[in-house]
Structure formats: C-alpha cells, structure tokens
Amino acid sequence: SYVADGDALRGTLVLMIGLAAAFGGGPVTAAVLHRVDHGGPIEQAGNVLRGGAWIGAMERTAIFVTLAAGWPHGLAIVLAMKGLGRYPELKQPGAAERFIIGSFTSVLWAIAWAGVLWALLN
C-alpha cells in the first residue's frame, strides 16, 4: 500500500542519513585533526587517545539517534560519558586539545546530519 511504501522510504532515508552521520564524520574529524597537528603535543596525543575512530563512530551514532528521536537531552549524556571515559588520559600533553577539537568536529557533524534529516522529514 501507499502508506507502507512511505514508511519504507522514510526508514531507508533515516538509515542512510544515520550512516552518513556515523561514518562520514571519521574522515572529516581526521582531516581537521591533521590540519591542526604540527608534530607537537596535539599530534603525539593521538598515541594516547586510542580507539578514537570507534569511539567517534559510536558517539556520532548516539548523537544522531537522540536527536532523530527528538530527545536532545541525550546529547548531554553522550558527551558526559565520553568525557568521563577519557578523563584519565586528558592529562597527557596535547590530549585535552585533541579531545576537544575531535569531539567538537565529530559532534557538529552528527548534529548537521540530524538537521538534514529533520529538514527532509518536516
């Protein structure tokens, strides 16, 4: 029926935009970090902050899902969890700066895709 086709299209759209939000942000974040890395403490902090690609993908997925579900408060929970999980590593030289730059880039990417979804569905 027409309604079922519309629901399938809507679901496919949400899935495709969600994948772009989750996995497209990795290369963007890496490019931004590469731009600010100059062989100093920020670049060296990449050796301390292990698992950033996977953590970033999960972070962007969680942010996109909370915003797509209409629960923006989830954004604060995601960011708090990430900050608490990384807290011990942030004392290393350059780690806090790399964490902030990477997190902001990643979060803004996910928020932008949630905005694209909202614009297309409303």
Side-chain angles (χ1 to χ4, degrees), residues 61-102:
T61 300
I63 289 169
F64 177 80
V65 168
T66 62
L67 295 176
W71 191 54
H73 300 88
L75 181 63
I77 294 169
V78 172
L79 295 177
M81 286 176 49
K82 184 177 179 189
L84 289 173
R86 288 289 199 188
Y87 182 74
E89 300 161 320
L90 298 179
K91 295 180 194 280
Q92 301 296 321
E97 292 84 355
R98 186 176 182 91
F99 175 81
I100 292 169
I101 293 166

Side-chain angles (χ1 to χ4, degrees), residues 11-70:
T12 301
L13 182 65
V14 170
L15 177 63
M16 298 305 290
I17 292 174
L19 288 171
F23 297 107
V28 171
T29 302
V32 169
L33 287 170
H34 178 73
R35 178 87 171 130
V36 299
D37 289 343
H38 300 292
I42 292 177
E43 185 174 15
Q44 294 165 4
N47 296 324
V48 175
L49 299 173
R50 310 303 276 159
W54 283 105
I55 292 169
M58 290 186 290
E59 169 192 35
R60 289 184 298 274
T61 300
I63 289 169
F64 177 80
V65 168
T66 62
L67 295 176

